[in-house]
Amino acid sequence: MPPAGGGADLSGGLDSSAAVVLAADAGPVHAVTYTDGYTSAEDMAFASRVAEHTGITHTVDIGADEQLPFSFPAGQPTGAEPVLEAAMFAMDTSYLHPVRGLPLHLTGHGGDIVLDASSSCWVRLLQDGRRREAHRQVVAFARLRNTAPGPYWKALKQAADLGRAGSLERAAEALERGPVRPQTAVTGWSWCRLGAAASWLTGYGRHRRSPAAAGRTRPAAGAGGRVRPVGRPALGGRLGPRLGPLRPRARHPAGVSVPGQPGRPRRLRRPGPARRGLVAYKPLLRESVPELPDWLTSRRSKGSFTAQRIAGLARHRDRLDGLIVSSPLVGGGLIDPAAVRSALTQAARGQCATVIADLHQMLVTCWWLSGQTTELEAAC
């Protein structure tokens, strides 16, 4: 941590809270928290407790409807490729303002990838024949989240049986057959699923997409055997109309290193098997950084941004509808605008939250493409 200190996101979730607690031991931290009428009150309570526990400077930004997602304000930079964070530009600009001059900024983005590998681990247990151990942990995991373990277990067994190559092969065949029906959200870990975006493809779009998908998957299928999960591939990876990698990006390039002995990086230990159910939302975090306060690592819940995104879709629906209709994806005959607009209408009414992630990708892509088209026309 530089002498001037650094800024940090503090949403109140486990990842950002852990980063702030650890960074506070290394130097001055100015943490910023965004909240509005749609974000989690429990997250806000945890953020306040972390700030009090560490004695850091803490600024809370109370957002208004102008900061809701999907506003895409005039003058917002498009960048070299579409990224999911573009939909949050107004919110980021508002709450990050107090720390804009600091030399570095810490964020908990990406923490789930490192600290929540349980689902892919269970697929590995199943492929290794350790069925009873996997089932015991899956049941504990599902009950902790107040969900039925049956559908979750079924999805994991299917992922273990098919493997990566088999799952991608099945997705490619579905695209080729078409039309693709919207699928419900996957309740368990999956190598790949055809999300709602695949159902928005026209017949022409499916034929344009399916050879590419088949070309990527079939060589993998020919390798033989089952590919075991390593780390945690993206949950519910989607095959749909995407231009460029639509991956979430950290708002700032700086990371955080975990304090330890000089020259000896901390080793993350694998969590042991569940005993009478899981005791924490992220047991790997609890075991790998034991100095974190117990009241934090024993948290059994996670805030949701679904209500905020629904509100943003509802507020900006007319403009978003225009982005879809004028998109080169529609102009090129790849996407059925009526299908996307129907999904947008349902999501904005709160009738179908499962398509929000697919809409997020689609809307960012349409907005980004509109910017590229404007720049191209200006250049001509």
Side-chain angles (χ1 to χ4, degrees), residues 107-355:
T107 178
H109 282 276
D112 284 349
I113 306 301
V114 178
L115 298 169
D116 195 18
S118 53
S119 296
S120 60
C121 289
W122 295 329
V123 174
R124 174 63 178 269
L125 287 175
L126 281 169
Q127 291 185 339
D128 284 347
R130 299 160 68 181
R131 181 186 179 94
R132 296 182 69 178
E133 182 180 351
H135 186 264
R136 182 172 65 252
Q137 295 198 38
V138 166
V139 169
F141 177 87
R143 287 176 177 170
L144 179 64
R145 287 153 180 78
N146 197 30
T147 59
Y152 198 97
W153 176 244
K154 180 179 179 181
L156 292 173
K157 288 194 298 180
Q158 184 179 66
D161 291 339
L162 286 175
R164 176 177 177 271
S167 296
L168 294 179
E169 179 77 22
R170 178 176 290 187
E173 290 174 352
L175 276 176
E176 290 174 345
R177 286 194 310 267
V180 179
R181 294 183 179 181
Q183 296 179 359
T184 57
V186 176
T187 53
W189 193 92
S190 174
W191 291 105
C192 174
R193 76 175 177 93
L194 291 176
S199 71
W200 303 334
L201 288 166
T202 62
Y204 172 71
R206 286 197 312 276
H207 285 95
R208 293 284 295 176
R209 285 291 297 173
S210 56
R216 285 195 301 269
T217 60
R218 292 196 170 116
R226 293 176 300 179
V227 182
R228 291 176 175 175
V230 178
R232 181 180 183 265
L235 279 170
R238 298 171 179 84
L239 289 178
R242 297 188 294 176
L243 270 71
L246 282 173
R247 56 182 178 271
R249 285 185 166 180
R251 298 188 183 98
H252 299 273
V256 58
S257 55
V258 182
Q261 297 182 23
R264 297 183 62 184
R266 179 184 302 281
R267 306 183 79 179
L268 297 181
R269 293 176 293 169
R270 210 169 122 196
R275 296 180 181 87
R276 296 177 181 245
L278 297 175
V279 296
Y281 188 79
K282 289 185 177 176
L284 183 57
L285 175 65
R286 185 183 188 125
E287 293 200 21
S288 60
V289 194
E291 61 267 36
L292 291 173
D294 181 72
W295 54 262
L296 176 63
T297 55
S298 61
R299 183 177 178 181
R300 292 170 172 253
S301 59
K302 180 172 182 170
S304 170
F305 293 93
T306 300
Q308 186 195 55
R309 279 150 179 70
I310 291 173
L313 292 171
R315 177 177 175 84
H316 303 295
R317 190 177 115 191
D318 290 343
R319 182 169 178 225
L320 298 177
D321 186 86
L323 273 178
I324 294 167
V325 173
S326 62
S327 167
L329 297 175
V330 171
L334 298 173
I335 299 298
D336 177 6
V340 187
R341 294 166 76 185
S342 175
L344 173 62
T345 298
Q346 290 182 342
R349 292 173 178 169
Q351 296 173 330
C352 187
T354 58
V355 303

